[in-house]
Amino acid sequence: MKKYAEIIGWGKCAPPAILTNNDLATFMDTSDEWIYSRTGIKQRHIAHVPCSEMSYVASERAIACAGIDAKEIDLVIFGTNSPDQMVPNSASLIVNRIGATHATGFDLNSACTSFLYALNVATDMIKAGSIKTALVIGMEKTSTIMDWGKRDSSVLFGDGGGAVILQATDEALGLLDAKLSLVMDTREAIELPGLGMNMTHKEMSEFYYSLNFLGQEVFKNAIKGMQDACTSLLERTNTAQEEIDFFVPHQANARIIQTLAKRMGIGMDNVMLCVERYGNTSAGTIPLALCDALTEGRIKPGMLLLTATFGAGLTCGAGLIRWGKRVTPIAESDVQLPICDKTALEIIRPAIDAAKKRYGKL
Ligand code: UT7
C-alpha cells in the first residue's frame, strides 16, 4: 500500500529577548517607519543560547505534541544555516539530547529553504519505506552572522524556528508533493562569504561575517521563483487554486508574500503572515508560521495547505500539505530555554561594537 508521512507533532522556540525597530534606530540610521513600510517587520527575537538549544526545546515540544517516545524516531534532519559547529553535525547533538536511541541524523543547508527541503527528504524516505518516524527541524540563530554595519540586510532577520514529527501512514496526509527548484545566475544576490572553508586559514582579523545582499534582485527573483514552483506543483498534482485552504509561505517580507498571494489568486485572509513579530528567521520561518497558525486555530482538520519558500542560491520550493485530524497537541513539554538576563541590545552589543570598529561608525 502507498505510504505517506503525516505531520503528527509540532513545536516552536522563539527566544525571549525582543529587538524592536526602535531599538535598531538607537545605533543605526534607520526608522520603524522605513522598516515596517518596506518589510512588514516590527520586531525580531534575539537568542541568548546557541541554535542547538532552541532546536532541543522545539524538538521536545514537537515530541510531546505528537505523544510519541523519542526512541520511536528513526531520523533527525536539522535544516539550518547557523549550526553551532560544522563537525560533528548539529543533528547528532539533538539525537543525543532527546534520547532518540534508534535514530541517526544529518544537517541540511539550502539556506532559508532548508526546512521545506528537509521535510521533503524525510517525507520521501518515509514514503519509500526506509524509515517510519522522523524529526525535522528548521531553526536559526541569524543574529550571530548579522553585519550590523549593513542596514539593508541586518534589519530583516531574527532568531527562532520550530520542529515537526512525521510518521508513516496509509492515509494521503502530510507533504503530498513538493517542487524544489533553483533560479539560475542569482547566486550572488545573497552571499555570506565569511561562512565556510574559504576562510579557514585566514588571519582572525579577517574573520567578519558580512551578508552581501542585492535587495531588489532577491525581491523580484524570489517572487518569480516561488510562483513558478507553486504553479508547476499545482499543475503536476492536478490541484486547482480554489482547492487550497490556507497558504503558509516563507516569511521574509510582507510585500513579497502579498505580491505572491495576489499572483496565485489567494486572498490574504487565507495567508499566514507573522513576519511582523519574528522578522525573517530563515529556515525557521515555515515551522514558526505553522505552529502559530495551529495555535491561532487557523489550520483546521483536513485542510489542504500550500507552502512556498526561497533562499540564497536562489533556492526555491513549494509544497502541498494535507493536514490530518488533530490540530491540538496531545501533551505539552515542560522543557524551557535557560533564563535570559539580558536585553536583546545587550546580547548583540559585541557584534555592534565589532561593526563600529570595522566601519568607523554605523
Ligand atoms: O532570505 C533572504 C531574504 N531577503 C529578502 O527578503 C530581501 C528582499 N528584498 C527586500 O526585502 C527589499 O529589497 C529591501 C527591504 C531589502 C529594501 O527595500 P527597497 O524598497 O528595495 O529599498 P532600496 O534597496 O531600493 O533602498 C531604498 C533606500 C536607499 O536609500 P537611497 O539610495 O534611496 O537614498 C537605501 O540606502 O532605502 C535606504 N535603506 C534604508 N533606509 C533606512 C536601506 N536600508 C535601510 C534601512 N533604513 N534599514
Side-chain angles (χ1 to χ4, degrees):
M1 188 177 279
K2 200 171 170 192
K3 285 274 172 243
Y4 295 90
E6 183 180 0
I7 300 176
I8 60 163
W10 52 92
K12 72 168 186 178
C13 183
I18 287 176
L19 187 70
T20 64
N21 293 346
N22 288 328
D23 289 332
L24 290 170
T26 62
F27 67 90
M28 69 164 80
D29 183 16
T30 191
S31 65
D32 176 53
E33 197 281 326
W34 191 95
I35 300 171
Y36 187 64
S37 63
R38 306 263 171 158
T39 69
I41 299 167
K42 275 273 174 202
Q43 61 173 47
R44 69 285 296 136
H45 294 241
I46 300 291
H48 61 299
V49 292
C51 187
S52 63
E53 189 68 35
M54 294 188 283
S55 302
Y56 165 64
V57 171
S59 300
E60 287 287 359
R61 289 174 179 165
I63 290 166
C65 172
I68 61 160
D69 190 304
K71 292 182 180 58
E72 292 175 54
I73 298 171
D74 303 303
L75 177 70
V76 175
I77 311 185
F78 193 153
T80 189
N81 305 277
S82 46
D84 302 1
Q85 59 186 54
M86 304 281 286
V87 181
N89 67 21
S90 292
S92 58
L93 180 58
I94 302 301
V95 169
N96 277 283
R97 285 201 71 188
I98 62 175
T101 46
H102 298 113
T104 186
F106 58 88
D107 298 355
L108 185 154
N109 170 16
S110 56
C112 297
T113 56
S114 301
F115 177 75
L116 182 62
Y117 280 41
L119 186 70
N120 192 33
V121 172
T123 297
D124 281 358
M125 286 177 72
I126 290 175
K127 284 180 175 175
S130 51
I131 58 168
K132 285 203 170 98
T133 305
L135 166 65
V136 175
I137 303 165
M139 185 67 68
E140 301 283 6
K141 185 174 178 179
T142 65
S143 57
T144 343
I145 44 177
M146 276 309 109
D147 180 350
W148 299 106
K150 289 191 174 167
R151 64 177 183 169
D152 57 342
S153 53
S154 60
V155 303
L156 303 179
F157 293 89
D159 298 338
V164 293
I165 300 284
L166 311 183
Q167 199 160 60
T169 173
D170 298 333
E171 284 182 78
L173 297 173
L175 184 67
L176 301 178
D177 201 355
K179 167 74 183 170
L180 309 185
S181 56
L182 191 137
V183 184
M184 294 297 283
D185 302 321
T186 55
R187 291 192 76 235
E188 65 293 342
I190 313 173
E191 269 191 308
L192 246 161
L195 201 63
M197 296 305 160
N198 284 347
M199 295 298 280
T200 307
H201 290 295
K202 298 261 168 77
E203 292 295 318
M204 280 312 281
S205 61
E206 287 184 53
F207 271 97
Y208 189 86
Y209 296 130
S210 195
L211 186 57
N212 298 334
F213 202 76
L214 301 171
Q216 288 177 9
E217 273 296 296
V218 177
F219 197 97
K220 63 174 193 270
N221 281 300
I223 294 170
K224 178 158 186 343
M226 287 191 288
Q227 186 184 358
D228 288 350
C230 288
T231 308
S232 142
L233 180 64
L234 295 188
E235 272 172 24
R236 190 168 81 190
T237 54
N238 261 326
T239 308
Q241 172 265 315
E242 300 74 41
E243 293 176 61
I244 293 160
D245 297 305
F246 197 57
F247 186 31
V248 186
H250 173 49
Q251 309 280 315
N253 180 318
R255 288 191 298 143
I256 291 179
I257 294 172
Q258 284 151 358
T259 310
L260 178 63
K262 194 168 175 196
R263 289 196 190 170
M264 294 302 302
I266 303 173
M268 285 307 290
D269 286 351
N270 296 324
V271 178
M272 187 63 192
L273 194 60
C274 54
V275 70
E276 176 169 338
R277 50 185 182 263
Y278 300 119
N280 179 353
T281 56
S282 185
T285 69
I286 292 176
L288 265 179
L290 261 183
C291 288
D292 282 5
L294 283 152
T295 307
E296 291 166 15
R298 300 189 70 190
I299 295 179
K300 310 258 188 273
M303 269 190 166
L304 185 64
L305 314 181
L306 176 68
T307 182
T309 182
F310 76 94
L314 291 179
T315 56
C316 290
L320 268 180
I321 298 170
R322 176 70 71 186
W323 206 261
K325 290 192 185 71
R326 193 163 51 76
V327 288
T328 51
I330 288 182
E332 308 270 345
S333 164
D334 53 11
V335 169
Q336 299 285 348
L337 287 180
I339 286 171
C340 176
D341 57 4
K342 287 194 168 98
T343 65
L345 272 175
E346 284 167 352
I347 297 170
I348 62 167
R349 180 61 58 195
I352 298 172
D353 291 344
K356 276 191 184 146
K357 203 167 154 205
R358 184 180 169 90
Y359 295 105
K361 66 175 187 63
L362 298 187

Short mmCIF file of all heavy atoms in Angstrom, two decimals, residues 297-336:
data_model
loop_
_atom_site.label_atom_id
_atom_site.label_comp_id
_atom_site.label_asym_id
_atom_site.label_seq_id
_atom_site.Cartn_x
_atom_site.Cartn_y
_atom_site.Cartn_z
N GLY A 297 -5.70 28.60 15.64
CA GLY A 297 -6.89 27.91 15.12
C GLY A 297 -7.14 28.16 13.64
O GLY A 297 -8.25 27.96 13.14
N ARG A 298 -6.11 28.57 12.92
CA ARG A 298 -6.31 28.89 11.51
C ARG A 298 -6.16 27.65 10.62
O ARG A 298 -6.60 27.65 9.48
CB ARG A 298 -5.34 29.99 11.07
CG ARG A 298 -5.58 31.25 11.91
CD ARG A 298 -4.81 32.41 11.39
NE ARG A 298 -5.35 32.86 10.12
CZ ARG A 298 -4.76 33.77 9.34
NH1 ARG A 298 -3.59 34.28 9.71
NH2 ARG A 298 -5.30 34.15 8.20
N ILE A 299 -5.51 26.61 11.15
CA ILE A 299 -5.43 25.34 10.41
C ILE A 299 -6.46 24.41 11.00
O ILE A 299 -6.46 24.13 12.20
CB ILE A 299 -4.01 24.74 10.50
CG1 ILE A 299 -3.02 25.68 9.79
CG2 ILE A 299 -3.98 23.33 9.90
CD1 ILE A 299 -1.56 25.23 9.83
N LYS A 300 -7.38 23.94 10.15
CA LYS A 300 -8.47 23.08 10.61
C LYS A 300 -8.23 21.65 10.10
O LYS A 300 -7.51 21.46 9.11
CB LYS A 300 -9.81 23.58 10.04
CG LYS A 300 -10.06 25.07 10.25
CD LYS A 300 -11.02 25.30 11.40
CE LYS A 300 -11.44 26.75 11.50
NZ LYS A 300 -10.56 27.58 12.29
N PRO A 301 -8.84 20.65 10.76
CA PRO A 301 -8.64 19.26 10.33
C PRO A 301 -8.92 19.07 8.84
O PRO A 301 -9.91 19.59 8.32
CB PRO A 301 -9.65 18.49 11.19
CG PRO A 301 -9.84 19.33 12.40
CD PRO A 301 -9.72 20.75 11.94
N GLY A 302 -8.03 18.36 8.17
CA GLY A 302 -8.24 18.01 6.76
C GLY A 302 -7.92 19.10 5.76
O GLY A 302 -8.08 18.90 4.54
N MET A 303 -7.45 20.24 6.21
CA MET A 303 -7.18 21.35 5.27
C MET A 303 -6.05 21.00 4.30
O MET A 303 -5.12 20.27 4.66
CB MET A 303 -6.75 22.60 6.04
CG MET A 303 -7.88 23.52 6.41
SD MET A 303 -7.18 25.08 7.04
CE MET A 303 -8.64 26.11 6.99
N LEU A 304 -6.11 21.59 3.10
CA LEU A 304 -5.01 21.48 2.14
C LEU A 304 -4.20 22.77 2.21
O LEU A 304 -4.71 23.86 1.95
CB LEU A 304 -5.55 21.26 0.72
CG LEU A 304 -4.46 21.02 -0.33
CD1 LEU A 304 -3.69 19.72 -0.06
CD2 LEU A 304 -5.06 20.97 -1.75
N LEU A 305 -2.93 22.62 2.60
CA LEU A 305 -2.07 23.80 2.75
C LEU A 305 -1.10 23.88 1.58
O LEU A 305 -0.59 22.86 1.11
CB LEU A 305 -1.24 23.71 4.03
CG LEU A 305 -1.93 23.31 5.34
CD1 LEU A 305 -0.91 23.32 6.48
CD2 LEU A 305 -3.08 24.23 5.67
N LEU A 306 -0.83 25.11 1.16
CA LEU A 306 0.25 25.34 0.20
C LEU A 306 1.36 26.08 0.95
O LEU A 306 1.08 26.96 1.77
CB LEU A 306 -0.25 26.21 -0.97
CG LEU A 306 0.79 26.61 -2.02
CD1 LEU A 306 1.28 25.40 -2.81
CD2 LEU A 306 0.22 27.66 -2.98
N THR A 307 2.60 25.68 0.70
CA THR A 307 3.71 26.43 1.27
C THR A 307 4.66 26.78 0.13
O THR A 307 4.70 26.09 -0.90
CB THR A 307 4.39 25.63 2.40
OG1 THR A 307 5.44 26.41 2.96
CG2 THR A 307 4.96 24.31 1.94
N ALA A 308 5.41 27.88 0.31
CA ALA A 308 6.37 28.29 -0.73
C ALA A 308 7.56 28.94 -0.04
O ALA A 308 7.39 29.59 1.00
CB ALA A 308 5.73 29.27 -1.70
N THR A 309 8.74 28.76 -0.63
CA THR A 309 9.93 29.25 0.06
C THR A 309 11.02 29.65 -0.92
O THR A 309 11.05 29.18 -2.06
CB THR A 309 10.42 28.16 1.05
OG1 THR A 309 11.55 28.65 1.76
CG2 THR A 309 10.82 26.88 0.36
N PHE A 310 11.91 30.54 -0.48
CA PHE A 310 13.10 30.90 -1.27
C PHE A 310 14.24 31.22 -0.32
O PHE A 310 14.03 31.55 0.86
CB PHE A 310 12.82 32.11 -2.18
CG PHE A 310 12.80 33.42 -1.44
CD1 PHE A 310 13.94 34.21 -1.35
CD2 PHE A 310 11.64 33.87 -0.82
CE1 PHE A 310 13.94 35.41 -0.65
CE2 PHE A 310 11.63 35.07 -0.12
CZ PHE A 310 12.77 35.84 -0.03
N GLY A 311 15.46 31.13 -0.85
CA GLY A 311 16.63 31.48 -0.03
C GLY A 311 17.84 31.63 -0.91
O GLY A 311 17.76 31.52 -2.14
N ALA A 312 19.00 31.89 -0.29
CA ALA A 312 20.22 32.09 -1.05
C ALA A 312 20.43 30.93 -2.02
O ALA A 312 20.10 29.78 -1.71
CB ALA A 312 21.41 32.22 -0.11
N GLY A 313 20.93 31.29 -3.18
CA GLY A 313 21.13 30.23 -4.21
C GLY A 313 20.83 30.68 -5.63
O GLY A 313 21.60 30.46 -6.51
N LEU A 314 19.68 31.28 -5.86
CA LEU A 314 18.46 31.25 -5.06
C LEU A 314 17.82 29.88 -5.16
O LEU A 314 17.50 29.43 -6.26
CB LEU A 314 17.44 32.28 -5.55
CG LEU A 314 17.77 33.77 -5.36
CD1 LEU A 314 16.66 34.65 -5.92
CD2 LEU A 314 17.96 34.13 -3.89
N THR A 315 17.67 29.23 -4.01
CA THR A 315 16.88 28.00 -3.99
C THR A 315 15.43 28.39 -3.74
O THR A 315 15.15 29.35 -3.01
CB THR A 315 17.36 27.05 -2.87
OG1 THR A 315 17.30 27.75 -1.62
CG2 THR A 315 18.76 26.55 -3.12
N CYS A 316 14.52 27.65 -4.36
CA CYS A 316 13.09 27.92 -4.18
C CYS A 316 12.36 26.61 -3.96
O CYS A 316 12.94 25.53 -4.14
CB CYS A 316 12.50 28.58 -5.43
SG CYS A 316 13.09 30.26 -5.67
N GLY A 317 11.10 26.69 -3.62
CA GLY A 317 10.33 25.46 -3.48
C GLY A 317 8.89 25.75 -3.12
O GLY A 317 8.55 26.84 -2.65
N ALA A 318 8.06 24.74 -3.36
CA ALA A 318 6.65 24.81 -2.98
C ALA A 318 6.23 23.42 -2.53
O ALA A 318 6.79 22.42 -2.99
CB ALA A 318 5.80 25.26 -4.17
N GLY A 319 5.29 23.37 -1.61
CA GLY A 319 4.83 22.07 -1.11
C GLY A 319 3.33 22.08 -0.86
O GLY A 319 2.75 23.13 -0.52
N LEU A 320 2.72 20.92 -1.06
CA LEU A 320 1.28 20.76 -0.77
C LEU A 320 1.17 19.82 0.43
O LEU A 320 1.67 18.69 0.37
CB LEU A 320 0.56 20.11 -1.95
CG LEU A 320 -0.06 21.00 -3.00
CD1 LEU A 320 -0.71 20.13 -4.08
CD2 LEU A 320 -1.09 21.97 -2.42
N ILE A 321 0.52 20.29 1.48
CA ILE A 321 0.41 19.50 2.71
C ILE A 321 -1.06 19.26 3.03
O ILE A 321 -1.84 20.21 3.13
CB ILE A 321 1.07 20.25 3.90
CG1 ILE A 321 2.57 20.47 3.65
CG2 ILE A 321 0.83 19.51 5.22
CD1 ILE A 321 3.24 21.41 4.64
N ARG A 322 -1.44 18.01 3.18
CA ARG A 322 -2.80 17.70 3.66
C ARG A 322 -2.71 17.49 5.17
O ARG A 322 -2.01 16.59 5.63
CB ARG A 322 -3.33 16.44 2.96
CG ARG A 322 -4.68 15.99 3.45
CD ARG A 322 -5.82 16.91 3.06
NE ARG A 322 -6.12 16.87 1.63
CZ ARG A 322 -6.99 17.68 1.05
NH1 ARG A 322 -7.63 18.62 1.75
NH2 ARG A 322 -7.21 17.59 -0.25
N TRP A 323 -3.40 18.35 5.94
CA TRP A 323 -3.36 18.22 7.39
C TRP A 323 -4.26 17.07 7.84
O TRP A 323 -5.26 16.77 7.19
CB TRP A 323 -3.78 19.54 8.07
CG TRP A 323 -3.17 19.61 9.43
CD1 TRP A 323 -3.76 19.30 10.62
CD2 TRP A 323 -1.81 19.94 9.73
NE1 TRP A 323 -2.84 19.42 11.64
CE2 TRP A 323 -1.64 19.81 11.13
CE3 TRP A 323 -0.71 20.32 8.96
CZ2 TRP A 323 -0.42 20.06 11.77
CZ3 TRP A 323 0.50 20.57 9.60
CH2 TRP A 323 0.63 20.44 10.98
N GLY A 324 -3.89 16.44 8.94
CA GLY A 324 -4.69 15.32 9.47
C GLY A 324 -5.83 15.78 10.35
O GLY A 324 -6.27 16.93 10.26
N LYS A 325 -6.31 14.87 11.21
CA LYS A 325 -7.50 15.19 12.03
C LYS A 325 -7.15 16.07 13.23
O LYS A 325 -7.97 16.84 13.70
CB LYS A 325 -8.11 13.89 12.57
CG LYS A 325 -8.78 13.04 11.51
CD LYS A 325 -9.62 11.93 12.18
CE LYS A 325 -10.19 10.99 11.14
NZ LYS A 325 -9.16 10.11 10.52
N ARG A 326 -5.94 15.92 13.73
CA ARG A 326 -5.61 16.57 15.01
C ARG A 326 -4.91 17.92 14.78
O ARG A 326 -3.94 18.01 14.04
CB ARG A 326 -4.72 15.65 15.86
CG ARG A 326 -4.58 16.10 17.31
CD ARG A 326 -4.05 14.98 18.17
NE ARG A 326 -2.84 14.40 17.61
CZ ARG A 326 -1.64 14.96 17.67
NH1 ARG A 326 -1.47 16.11 18.29
NH2 ARG A 326 -0.60 14.37 17.14
N VAL A 327 -5.45 18.95 15.44
CA VAL A 327 -4.86 20.29 15.33
C VAL A 327 -4.46 20.83 16.70
O VAL A 327 -4.12 22.01 16.84
CB VAL A 327 -5.83 21.28 14.63
CG1 VAL A 327 -5.95 20.97 13.15
CG2 VAL A 327 -7.20 21.28 15.30
N THR A 328 -4.52 19.96 17.71
CA THR A 328 -4.09 20.36 19.06
C THR A 328 -3.06 19.34 19.56
O THR A 328 -3.11 18.16 19.18
CB THR A 328 -5.27 20.41 20.05
OG1 THR A 328 -5.98 19.18 19.96
CG2 THR A 328 -6.21 21.56 19.75
N PRO A 329 -2.15 19.78 20.44
CA PRO A 329 -1.13 18.86 20.95
C PRO A 329 -1.72 17.76 21.84
O PRO A 329 -2.68 18.02 22.57
CB PRO A 329 -0.21 19.75 21.78
CG PRO A 329 -0.58 21.15 21.46
CD PRO A 329 -1.98 21.15 20.96
N ILE A 330 -1.12 16.57 21.81
CA ILE A 330 -1.52 15.51 22.73
C ILE A 330 -1.04 15.88 24.14
O ILE A 330 -1.74 15.69 25.12
CB ILE A 330 -0.93 14.14 22.29
CG1 ILE A 330 -1.68 13.67 21.04
CG2 ILE A 330 -1.02 13.10 23.41
CD1 ILE A 330 -1.25 12.32 20.50
N ALA A 331 0.17 16.43 24.25
CA ALA A 331 0.71 16.85 25.55
C ALA A 331 1.64 18.03 25.35
O ALA A 331 2.05 18.33 24.24
CB ALA A 331 1.45 15.69 26.20
N GLU A 332 1.92 18.71 26.45
CA GLU A 332 2.86 19.85 26.43
C GLU A 332 4.16 19.40 27.08
O GLU A 332 4.13 18.68 28.08
CB GLU A 332 2.31 21.02 27.25
CG GLU A 332 0.90 21.46 26.91
CD GLU A 332 0.86 22.52 25.82
OE1 GLU A 332 1.94 23.11 25.56
OE2 GLU A 332 -0.21 22.74 25.24
N SER A 333 5.29 19.87 26.57
CA SER A 333 6.57 19.57 27.21
C SER A 333 6.87 20.66 28.24
O SER A 333 6.50 21.81 28.04
CB SER A 333 7.68 19.57 26.16
OG SER A 333 8.93 19.66 26.77
N ASP A 334 7.54 20.29 29.34
CA ASP A 334 7.91 21.33 30.31
C ASP A 334 9.36 21.81 30.10
O ASP A 334 9.89 22.57 30.90
CB ASP A 334 7.66 20.88 31.76
CG ASP A 334 8.32 19.54 32.06
OD1 ASP A 334 9.14 19.11 31.21
OD2 ASP A 334 8.03 18.94 33.11
N VAL A 335 9.98 21.38 29.01
CA VAL A 335 11.35 21.84 28.71
C VAL A 335 11.31 23.32 28.32
O VAL A 335 10.45 23.75 27.55
CB VAL A 335 11.95 20.99 27.56
CG1 VAL A 335 13.25 21.60 27.05
CG2 VAL A 335 12.20 19.58 28.02
N GLN A 336 12.22 24.09 28.90
CA GLN A 336 12.27 25.55 28.63
C GLN A 336 13.70 25.94 28.30
O GLN A 336 14.65 25.25 28.69
CB GLN A 336 11.89 26.35 29.90
CG GLN A 336 10.49 26.10 30.43
CD GLN A 336 9.41 26.77 29.60
OE1 GLN A 336 9.71 27.60 28.74
NE2 GLN A 336 8.17 26.38 29.84
#
